[in-house]
Every structure is written in structure tokens, then in C-alpha cells.
Amino acid sequence: MEKKIYKNYINGEWVESASGCTFEDRNPADNREVIGEFQRSNPEDVKRAVEAAKNAYDKWRLYPAPKRAEILFKVAEILVKRKEEFAREMTQEMGKVLKETRGDVQEAIDMSYYMAGEGRRQFGQTTPSELPNKFAMSVRMPMGACALITPWNFPMAIPSWKLMPALICGNTVVFKPATDTPLSAYNLIKSCEEAGIPKGVVNFVTGGGSEVGGPLMKNEDVKLVSFTGSTAVGKTVSEACAPAFKHTNLEMGGKNAIMVMEDANLDLAVEGAIWGGFGTTGQRCTAASRVIVHKKVYQEFAEKFVARAKALKIGNGLDPKVEMGPSINENQLQTVMNYVEIGKKEGAKLISGGNRLVKGDYIHGFFHEPTVFADVDPKMRIAQEEIFGPVVALIPCDNLQNAINICNGVVYGLSASIYTQDVNKAFVAMRDIYTGIFYVNSSTIGAEVHLPFGGTKQTGNGHREAGTAALDVFSEWKTVYIDYSGKLQKAQIDDLNIS
Ligand code: UN1
């Protein structure tokens, strides 16, 4: 691939950063390969982008939602046309296998079509008034310039979860993508430009957290910050926005569990645990990093699971035979290796993997073996903390109630699942697991765009993305009363006599 310098997109123009500096986007499967150079933006760029978003807002909010929708629909069609190209570039820039990056682009397509549909919905309520000759309704109101700050693990899907609902509600945006995946973000923004998004409505500024993210969330013209990333960074967003009561929508960590009951279809459960634990190299907030297995089937499950984990083909995600790619960067790989050491020290039994891959071409990337710890105590750090890598903790349990307690016994609450053939067990778990997403006889991953996505406890701050829940993030309700009685009527006070 030809090395190219990519620019910021501010007020409808592709511009260089005021800093005059760029940073490199490299392939985590082969770190020698530079995908492109992106602007190392600074607070001055942020200021200009917010200014542009602020100025474009009044026109955009008054442009009818069904017309805004037509632009979103066009974005979807451009993504459909260029899906394969964008998926390949995504695999090159962040390492997950081509099947998954196709899914990532598809998720952005789905979200764009879905939110285009909302252009003709965004339903409010109309309801009778308690007074005669008075009309009552509620309508959604956009909020202004929104900041979107996104992670690298779903480089196009997650930005689309924020961008599309923000736009359909009539907001303008400044988008700062993760520094590890600016190309996929660029491809999405380029598609918006091609679809005819008016100038200033979508602004794109690449660069680091302290130079771009910090100033962006603190800018007083930014009305809402939508962030997906670590709980630690989410806390700083929350704190930065609290003094001005700026709206925040935070999607953060997970420590998701699959519960495998004694009556489960074990092969299906193994399949789900492999996909949940090692899909995207374990770098999903919805990854199944814990598998809680009934002791009656624990041994058999562990053997089958390890056999599958050991057989996984690891390598460059562009190779169709490869099933698991690298970690995103050296830092993330070091975190994984560090947790493997922690697990060993805590006394968990390492039954598969545990090492960085260094032979041959692996040395140029950030590859790690799929790793399985057995007999993990639910209180151990490897069973409590988000690792974001290919490390799975197997935890034995005595019964359903015990499994539920273990599953709920972490600070996060994103996703969970149960494998059982017993409908009663499935319903009890569905009721008692305190997560934002729950699956029966399926892995912890597989969210669809038209349903709420998000989690409880330290995973989120009470909001949900996707579905109509996303509209609640990117709009505020305005309740409107219209009195056509021609006199002063008083709610709760007037006496109405019928005779
Ligand atoms: C994430 O885990 O970071 O359900 C997002 C899924 C995907 C989205 C995951 N559709 O796994």
C-alpha cells in the first residue's frame, strides 16, 4: 500500500493540523508496514472543529429529518459498495480477521440504514390534556455540537453507533477516532462527504487523548460527549463534564461470563466460548473472558475447549485460513503478558498457551497464544479485571445460583450468557443476571444495531447506544402544551364540572 498523508476534515475542508506534525498508523500484524500518516492535531484544531460544528448547527437542525436521512442512506450505500476495500484496510490497520472486519463495516451499514429510517420516525407522545381545549405532546430536540470519542476495536461500527443517531437527531459532530485506527474512521467520514453532508456538520480530528480528546470534551461549545473506551478514561470524561453538567454517554469495560450448565449442549458451548474468548483476539468489551462451568461437565468442557484453543490458526487476518489476529499494539500485548504472569502468581492453572509468539514472521507483530487458565478462583484478578486479550479464565461452579453469583460478582455489567437445555434455568438466569445484554445458548457477542447496547455498573453511566435508546442520548425531550381555550386554564387547580 502506498504511504499516504491523511488530513483532518474541518468545516467541509481537508486540512493539515496547526501543529504541522503527523503520526504513523502501522499494521499490528507486521509493524514494519506503515498504513498511512495522520494529523497529530492539537487544541487549536479542536477549537476550529468545534467552531465549525457550532456554526453549522442551526442550519442542520432546521433541515428536515427525512432529508437528513437521505444523506445517511447514501452513506450506507457507499459503504455497501466499498465494503470489501474498507474491510481489508481495517484488517491491515487493526489486525482482526477479514471475516470480522467485514462484519464491522456491515454493522456501520446496518446502523446507517437503521438511523436513516429514524428520519421518518423519532416518535414522541401525543396524549390527552387534563384540561379542555388544550393539546399536549412531546418532541425530540437536538442538542448542538457533540464530541464523539471512539476506540480501535470496532473502528467503523462504534463510530457509526454515535455518528448516525447524532446526525439524524439534528446535531453536528466533532469526531476523534482512536490513534490506532484512524484510517477506518477516515473511510467513514469520506463516505459522509461523498454522500453530501453539508460543511461543518461532520468534523474529523485525529490525534491523541491529551492533545485532542481532553480539549474537545472540555470545550464549552460541546454539548455532549459520547465516549467508548476504558473505564479509567471514562472516569476522566465524566469528571471533566460534571462541572458544567455536560451530557455524557459512556460505554466502558466488561468482564463478561458464559455460564455452562450440566445439561448444556457442550459442543455448542465450546464453540461459543472460543468465539467469545478469542474472537477479535479477545479485544471486545463484550468478550467472554470468564467461563463458569458446572463441575459435573467441567473436566470434559476444559479438555474440549483447550483442544480447540490450541488448534486456532494465528496470523495475519488477511489470510483466509487465519482465525485470530494480533493484539493492537505493543502496550496491549504487554498488558496481556502481564496478566498471564499475574494469573500464574495467583495460583491459577495455566492449561493452554501463555506465551507471546516470536518465531518467524510473528516477531514483527503483536501475537500471543490463545491462553486458558483453569480452576480460577472468582476473586482472582484474572477473573475480575478486564484484560482485553486472548486470555480466558475457567471457573468451576456447583449449581445455577452459584454460577449467577460468580457471574454478577464483578464491577462490570455488559454482557453474559448461559448454555442450558432447561428453560427454567434460562429464565432464572435471564432475570437475575445484572448486565445490559444477555444471551441464551449463544456467546456473549453478537449485538444487533436495532436493540439497546450497553451495560450496568462500571460499564456505563445508565445510557444505551443503538436502537431507539441512542435517540435518547442524542436528543432531549421537549414537552409542548398548546392552549386553544382563549382563557387562563390552570392544571391541577381548575375544577371541571360535568353536568
Ligand atoms: C464491543 O465489544 O466493543 O456484539 C462491541 C458484538 C458487536 C459489538 C461489540 N456487535 O460483539
Side-chain angles (χ1 to χ4, degrees):
M1 197 191 294
E2 196 186 315
K3 187 163 132 184
K4 195 177 150 186
I5 298 177
Y6 295 86
K7 295 181 179 167
N8 287 333
Y9 188 61
I10 298 178
N11 206 25
E13 310 273 341
W14 292 96
V15 290
E16 281 172 11
S17 164
S19 74
C21 304
T22 58
F23 65 94
E24 286 177 340
D25 181 15
R26 284 172 181 266
N27 183 344
D30 185 341
N31 205 38
R32 295 168 300 181
E33 189 188 328
V34 178
I35 308 290
E37 275 185 39
F38 287 82
Q39 302 303 310
R40 186 180 292 281
S41 309
N42 66 16
E44 183 54 35
D45 303 310
V46 171
K47 217 175 110 206
R48 288 181 198 164
V50 174
E51 191 77 11
K54 188 186 167 196
N55 292 339
Y57 173 63
D58 259 337
K59 261 198 186 160
W60 182 243
R61 83 180 165 90
L62 297 176
Y63 191 57
K67 292 286 158 196
R68 298 198 288 259
E70 285 173 19
I71 300 177
L72 267 54
F73 194 90
K74 273 190 207 139
V75 175
E77 303 223 286
I78 293 166
L79 295 178
V80 167
K81 259 198 226 115
R82 303 183 65 183
K83 178 173 169 180
E84 190 61 21
E85 174 195 343
F86 289 169
R88 294 188 83 81
E89 288 186 347
M90 193 186 294
T91 293
Q92 281 169 298
E93 112 172 308
M94 65 75 68
K96 66 185 174 184
V97 299
L98 202 47
K99 263 190 195 154
E100 291 186 31
T101 53
R102 286 186 190 123
D104 196 302
V105 178
Q106 186 59 45
E107 205 158 333
I109 293 168
D110 295 343
M111 186 55 94
S112 306
Y113 279 135
Y114 174 67
M115 283 298 161
E118 281 306 317
R120 288 187 187 269
R121 287 189 291 265
Q122 293 187 49
F123 299 132
Q125 297 139 315
T126 58
T127 177
S129 161
E130 66 183 49
L131 291 166
N133 299 322
K134 189 180 171 192
F135 185 87
M137 65 179 168
S138 62
V139 294
R140 289 188 186 276
M141 196 172 34
M143 298 161 70
C146 300
L148 316 181
I149 303 176
T150 59
W152 44 264
N153 63 338
F154 280 82
M156 196 180 276
I158 291 181
S160 79
W161 295 1
K162 302 182 189 303
L163 184 61
M164 299 309 164
L167 294 178
I168 204 64
C169 287
N171 303 285
T172 55
V173 308
V174 178
F175 167 32
K176 179 210 132 17
T179 45
D180 282 303
T181 51
L183 180 56
S184 299
Y186 166 88
N187 285 337
L188 180 62
I189 298 308
K190 194 82 191 149
S191 305
C192 291
E193 185 197 24
E194 270 175 52
I197 198 87
K199 76 178 174 111
V201 171
V202 171
N203 302 278
F204 169 71
V205 183
T206 55
S210 55
E211 291 287 281
V212 180
L216 181 56
M217 64 176 110
K218 288 184 198 127
N219 188 304
E220 60 181 31
D221 288 323
V222 166
K223 302 300 175 198
L224 174 147
V225 180
S226 180
F227 166 83
T228 299
S230 71
T231 299
V233 176
K235 193 161 178 274
T236 67
V237 177
S238 191
E239 285 165 358
C241 294
F245 304 104
K246 192 177 286 186
H247 286 212
T248 53
N249 154 229
L250 310 171
E251 292 295 342
M252 302 170 288
K255 191 69 190 176
N256 316 291
I258 291 177
M259 299 177 286
V260 182
M261 293 297 101
E262 69 273 36
D263 56 31
N265 175 337
L266 224 51
D267 290 330
L268 190 66
V270 168
E271 195 89 30
I274 290 286
W275 173 227
F278 304 120
T280 325
T281 321
Q283 303 172 114
R284 293 189 182 226
C285 18
T286 52
S289 52
R290 300 182 293 156
V291 187
I292 303 162
V293 190
H294 194 285
K295 60 185 179 199
K296 278 195 190 142
V297 292
Y298 181 76
Q299 203 51 41
E300 189 185 346
F301 179 90
E303 280 162 22
K304 288 186 165 173
F305 185 62
V306 164
R308 284 291 309 275
K310 282 192 197 301
L312 285 174
K313 191 166 161 45
I314 301 153
N316 188 320
L318 289 181
D319 176 347
K321 288 194 287 300
V322 163
E323 294 164 284
M324 193 180 97
S327 290
I328 186 71
N329 54 35
E330 180 68 36
N331 252 350
Q332 194 63 43
L333 179 62
Q334 289 300 329
T335 301
V336 170
M337 290 163 70
N338 195 23
Y339 271 108
V340 170
E341 285 316 305
I342 291 169
K344 286 188 206 160
K345 280 204 198 97
E346 286 178 309
K349 211 160 105 196
L350 180 64
I351 57 169
S352 185
N355 300 298
R356 178 178 190 163
L357 292 166
V358 290
K359 281 204 190 116
D361 278 347
Y362 283 135
I363 193 65
H364 301 300
F366 309 116
F367 294 98
H368 194 277
E369 291 173 318
T371 297
V372 186
F373 279 104
D375 303 349
V376 176
D377 183 285
K379 291 276 165 274
M380 287 178 183
R381 285 183 63 190
I382 55 163
Q384 288 286 325
E385 298 172 19
E386 185 174 50
I387 299 174
F388 232 61
V391 182
V392 174
L394 298 187
I395 306 171
C397 73
D398 299 324
N399 52 44
L400 176 64
Q401 193 50 54
N402 184 213
I404 290 173
N405 293 344
I406 296 168
C407 183
N408 280 337
V410 291
V411 296
Y412 300 111
L414 183 53
S415 182
S417 102
I418 188 168
Y419 280 86
T420 179
Q421 299 297 315
D422 181 341
V423 69
N424 299 337
K425 285 196 184 103
F427 267 87
V428 168
M430 186 178 87
R431 182 193 63 199
D432 292 344
I433 292 296
Y434 191 57
T435 54
I437 306 169
F438 187 69
Y439 293 90
V440 177
N441 289 328
S442 183
S443 193
T444 53
I445 61 192
E448 302 178 26
V449 302
H450 54 303
L451 289 125
F453 181 96
T456 62
K457 300 191 274 187
Q458 289 184 28
T459 294
N461 63 338
H463 295 285
R464 294 289 182 271
E465 301 200 276
T468 51
L471 303 177
D472 293 331
V473 168
F474 289 100
S475 67
E476 290 207 74
W477 284 113
K478 181 187 284 170
T479 304
V480 183
Y481 299 103
I482 301 137
D483 192 319
Y484 55 97
S485 69
K487 55 188 183 207
L488 175 65
Q489 299 199 90
K490 304 193 191 87
Q492 295 91 36
I493 291 171
D494 281 2
D495 239 347
L496 294 182
N497 293 320
I498 184 161
S499 55

